[in-house]
């Protein structure tokens, strides 16, 4: 990727071939784009969730009709296998339908019950008003699905959206914007392309920021948003553990963890990046996992599906993976399969490492590549302790033949999501929250109504139920007798035991007389 005359040259990581260019949007142009979005957002909000539903379903139609082309574009900038490339548009289709059809229910007013009988004189309403412009900044690992994850619910909420995709893989996001324009939708969605300065301008101008990417960049965005007093949500790094207990179905665990560690060449925020196996089944599990990983087919697909694992996104990612493996081997780890670059493009062999420990970078740092470090543990307690020994807490998995045991272990793990006998399951269940603990992030995406309400400001409205007087009990001038009556009523309604009816104690509030 090179910048020439403010243009980004996008290259296929498997071949180095130039596959397209996008302009670099400078900060002034980002600010102008946000100003324009503000002009159209009020009308977009005004048509209501059912009006917005129609546009989102038209976009869903467009995604379905253009699936093959979208997969072509995505493959060109990522070198994903064909199956992986088709997952992005399929995921976007599913998500568009989910929020389009549920937005009206999710955004409906809430009418909470009063906390006390004394409060029943008021009608209580919570309404949800969208932020005017939501800024979305997405990474390079899922160039179409990642934008869809946040753009769709923000649009469904009634916000306008400015999207800054990764400069490594911007072409799919540009296609999404083209689709929005082709269906004739209101101009409340814009894509700006560029590197750090473009992203910083989005942060500097949006009313809400959703960022997915590295912890280091997320920390800078949090500081910038705090300076402006605007809200944000961050999905950051992960180092997700898998715990294989002695009573697990080892074949399922081996195949599941191989998929969880190698899907998209390990470039998934919730990739399995650490594996802890109880001692009685350790050797058998390592043998099965090694066989499953060694059998994976690696290479560059066209429209025909021939491979399971593609290339890494760029040379920098290749260097990180290679460093982690080399440092582990130098410290005494052993490679059971893989272990080196293929020598073609940015491909790195699917790799299993054993005899590793927490002092090694392959266990302590996020790798984001096709590696699976495996450790033997004495028992469940040691597995939980080591799984929790991380600055990250995005997700985890537990493999066991005992459902109750799996849920018990899950509740001990410091992770935003835990899948029992599965990987990634929470990612495809939009009714569940998707958010990290620790340095894996702040806030969450999805979670049913919460996934769309996050792009809204909650507004509390109270209205009288009964005819009003010219002056309320507590309005000026103060009257101690009125206060005593009010306190007595509040204690009667909310205190417990004799404190509810100790009128003498209430009376002394007047001054002890």
């Amino acid at each position: 990727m090179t910048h020439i005359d403010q243009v980004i040259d996008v290259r296929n990581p498997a071949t180095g071939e130039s596959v397209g260019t996008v302009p670099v949007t400078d900060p002034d142009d980002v600010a102008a784009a946000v100003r324009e979005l503000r002009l159209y957002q009020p009308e977009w909000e005004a048509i209501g969730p059912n009006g917005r539903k129609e546009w989102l379903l038209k976009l869903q139609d467009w995604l379905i009709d253009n699936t093959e082309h979208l997969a072509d574009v995505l493959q060109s900038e990522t070198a994903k296998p064909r199956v992986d490339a088709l997952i992005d548009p399929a995921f976007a289709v599913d998500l568009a339908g989910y929020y389009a059809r549920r937005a009206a229910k999710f955004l409906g007013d809430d009418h909470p019950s009063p906390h006390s009988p004394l409060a029943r004189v008021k009608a209580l309403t919570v309404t949800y008003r969208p932020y005017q412009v939501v800024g979305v900044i997405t990474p390079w690992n899922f160039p179409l699905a990642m934008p869809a994850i946040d753009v769709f619910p923000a649009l469904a909420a009634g916000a306008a959206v400015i999207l800054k995709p990764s400069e490594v893989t911007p072409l799919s996001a540009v296609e999404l914007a083209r689709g929005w324009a082709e269906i004739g939708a209101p101009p409340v969605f814009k894509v700006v392309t560029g590197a750090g300065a473009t992203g910083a301008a989005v942060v500097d101008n949006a009313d809400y920021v959703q960022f997915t990417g590295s912890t280091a960049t997320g920390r800078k965005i949090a500081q910038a948003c705090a300076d402006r007093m605007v809200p944000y949500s961050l999905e950051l790094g992960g180092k997700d553990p898998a715990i294989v207990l002695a009573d697990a179905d080892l074949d399922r665990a081996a195949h599941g963890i191989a998929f969880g560690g190698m899907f998209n060449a390990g470039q998934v925020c919730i990739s399995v990046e650490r594996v802890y196996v109880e001692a009685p089944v350790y050797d058998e599990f390592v043998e099965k996992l090694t066989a499953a990983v060694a059998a994976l087919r690696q290479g560059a697909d066209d429209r025909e599906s021939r491979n399971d694992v593609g290339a890494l996104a760029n040379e920098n990612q290749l260097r990180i993976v290679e460093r982690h493996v080399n440092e582990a081997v130098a410290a005494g780890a052993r490679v059971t399969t893989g272990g080196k670059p293929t020598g073609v493009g940015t491909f790195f062999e699917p790799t299993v490492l054993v005899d590793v420990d927490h002092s090694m970078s392959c266990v302590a740092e996020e790798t984001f590549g096709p590696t699976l470090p495996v450790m033997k543990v004495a028992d469940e307690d040691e597995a939980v302790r080591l799984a929790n020994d991380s600055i990250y807490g995005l997700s985890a998995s537990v493999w066991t033949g005992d459902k109750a045991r799996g849920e018990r272990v899950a509740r001990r793990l410091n992770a935003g999501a835990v899948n029992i006998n599965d990987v990634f399951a929470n990612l495809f269940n939009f009714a569940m929250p998707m958010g990290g603990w620790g340095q894996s992030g702040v806030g969450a995406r999805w979670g049913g109504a919460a996934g769309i309400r996050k792009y809204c400001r909650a507004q509390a409205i109270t209205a009288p139920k009964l005819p009003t007087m010219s002056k309320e009990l507590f309005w000026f001038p103060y009257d101690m007798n009125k206060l005593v009556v009010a306190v007595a009523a509040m204690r009667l309604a909310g205190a417990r035991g004799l404190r509810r009816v100790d009128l003498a104690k209430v009376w002394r509030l007047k001054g002890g007389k």
Side-chain angles (χ1 to χ4, degrees):
M1 182 187 64
T2 56
H3 295 262
I4 302 174
D5 297 327
Q6 298 299 299
V7 169
I8 295 174
D9 182 21
V10 183
R11 294 184 176 273
N12 183 307
T15 65
E17 172 193 5
S18 177
V19 293
T21 60
V22 295
V24 174
T25 311
D26 68 36
D28 288 341
D29 288 338
V30 172
V34 171
R35 287 194 297 271
E36 185 176 347
L37 288 170
R38 293 193 197 284
L39 297 177
Y40 293 101
Q41 184 274 333
E43 185 177 351
W44 177 246
E45 180 182 354
I47 66 174
N50 287 323
R52 297 190 291 271
K53 170 185 173 181
E54 295 307 313
W55 288 113
L56 286 168
L57 291 180
K58 287 181 180 178
L59 181 63
Q60 184 188 57
D61 294 341
W62 184 90
L63 289 165
I64 292 170
D65 294 343
N66 290 272
T67 289
E68 286 193 312
H69 171 68
L70 291 168
D72 292 343
V73 172
L74 194 143
Q75 274 185 288
S76 74
E77 61 183 345
T78 64
K80 288 177 184 270
R82 187 64 177 180
V83 171
D84 283 6
L86 287 165
I87 287 174
D88 271 54
F91 187 89
V93 165
D94 197 19
L95 196 69
Y98 176 78
Y99 278 114
R101 294 185 174 91
R102 290 168 177 79
K105 176 184 176 182
F106 289 164
L107 295 172
D109 291 351
D110 283 339
H111 299 283
S113 297
H115 75 285
S116 162
L118 299 175
R120 294 191 180 277
V121 297
K122 297 292 185 183
L124 308 181
T125 301
V126 180
T127 186
Y128 298 93
R129 302 273 306 280
Y131 292 100
Q132 200 167 13
V133 178
V134 168
V136 175
I137 302 174
T138 55
W140 39 254
N141 54 340
F142 294 96
L144 182 63
M146 292 304 299
I149 284 171
D150 297 304
V151 169
F152 292 176
L155 288 172
V161 179
I162 185 164
L163 166 65
K164 205 295 280 186
S166 168
E167 64 273 22
V168 178
T169 56
L171 302 181
S172 295
V174 170
E175 289 297 304
L176 185 62
R178 181 176 69 84
W180 187 253
E182 282 189 2
I183 64 173
V188 290
F189 172 45
K190 288 182 178 291
V191 171
V192 292
T193 49
T198 306
V202 170
V203 174
D204 289 342
N205 288 276
D207 303 310
Y208 184 106
V209 176
Q210 167 63 52
F211 170 77
T212 305
S214 72
T215 298
T217 302
R219 186 176 288 110
K220 294 176 183 177
I221 288 174
Q223 291 168 346
C225 288
D227 286 342
R228 293 184 56 225
M229 295 293 286
V230 300
Y232 57 89
S233 180
L234 309 173
E235 188 191 289
L236 308 176
K239 193 70 181 177
D240 291 4
I243 294 176
V244 181
L245 299 173
D247 60 359
D249 177 340
L250 296 186
D251 288 317
R252 178 173 176 83
H255 289 299
I257 290 171
F259 178 70
M262 301 299 159
F263 172 59
N264 198 36
Q267 299 169 119
V268 188
C269 56
I270 54 175
S271 285
V272 176
E273 292 213 8
R274 297 177 287 148
V275 187
Y276 303 97
V277 187
E278 281 195 295
V281 296
Y282 175 81
D283 290 336
E284 183 180 0
F285 174 79
V286 168
E287 182 180 346
K288 290 178 181 293
L289 179 66
T290 299
V293 172
L296 295 175
R297 302 164 298 171
Q298 186 174 41
D301 277 355
D302 48 29
R303 278 192 166 184
E304 182 182 347
S305 175
R306 295 184 299 270
N307 294 290
D308 305 305
V309 180
L312 293 164
N314 51 47
E315 290 286 344
N316 182 60
Q317 204 56 39
L318 178 66
R319 286 192 292 271
I320 292 172
V321 176
E322 189 171 18
R323 174 175 66 82
H324 282 189
V325 172
N326 290 344
E327 288 176 353
V329 171
R334 180 167 57 88
V335 174
T336 65
T337 186
K340 61 185 184 300
T342 68
V344 177
T346 57
F347 289 98
F348 193 95
E349 295 174 344
T351 299
V352 176
L353 291 163
V354 296
D355 300 331
V356 298
D357 59 50
H358 279 229
S359 70
M360 299 178 182
S361 57
C362 69
V363 177
E365 301 174 15
E366 183 176 35
T367 303
F368 226 60
T371 65
L372 281 167
V374 186
M375 280 157 278
K376 182 191 297 185
V377 295
D379 53 26
E380 173 187 313
D381 288 339
E382 185 181 16
V384 169
R385 178 178 62 80
L386 290 174
N388 287 338
D389 181 21
S390 175
I391 61 173
Y392 298 111
L394 196 53
S395 73
S397 62
V398 180
W399 304 82
T400 174
D402 183 338
K403 180 182 176 183
R405 186 186 188 194
E407 293 191 5
R408 184 181 72 243
V409 172
R411 292 170 188 269
R412 298 176 64 192
L413 295 174
N414 296 332
V418 182
N419 297 298
I420 298 171
N421 294 333
D422 208 342
V423 290
F424 305 162
N426 63 298
L427 184 67
F428 296 96
N429 284 280
F430 309 139
M432 299 285 281
M434 172 70 184
W437 297 5
Q439 294 193 31
S440 285
V442 175
R445 51 168 55 105
W446 306 334
I452 190 169
R453 288 179 177 179
K454 68 179 275 188
Y455 295 115
C456 297
R457 298 156 293 179
Q459 183 179 48
I461 301 173
T462 68
K465 282 185 176 179
L466 302 175
T468 57
M469 303 176 290
S470 62
K471 193 163 59 172
E472 288 292 321
L473 187 66
F474 293 120
W475 291 358
F476 299 136
Y478 285 142
D479 185 322
M480 285 298 292
N481 290 322
K482 292 178 180 179
L483 174 69
V484 166
V485 171
V487 170
M490 290 165 65
R491 290 187 182 178
L492 182 64
R496 61 180 183 168
L498 293 177
R499 291 178 178 83
R500 297 178 64 202
V501 293
D502 191 345
L503 298 180
K505 184 173 288 188
V506 174
W507 190 255
R508 284 197 296 272
L509 295 176
K510 294 186 66 173
K513 298 179 181 178

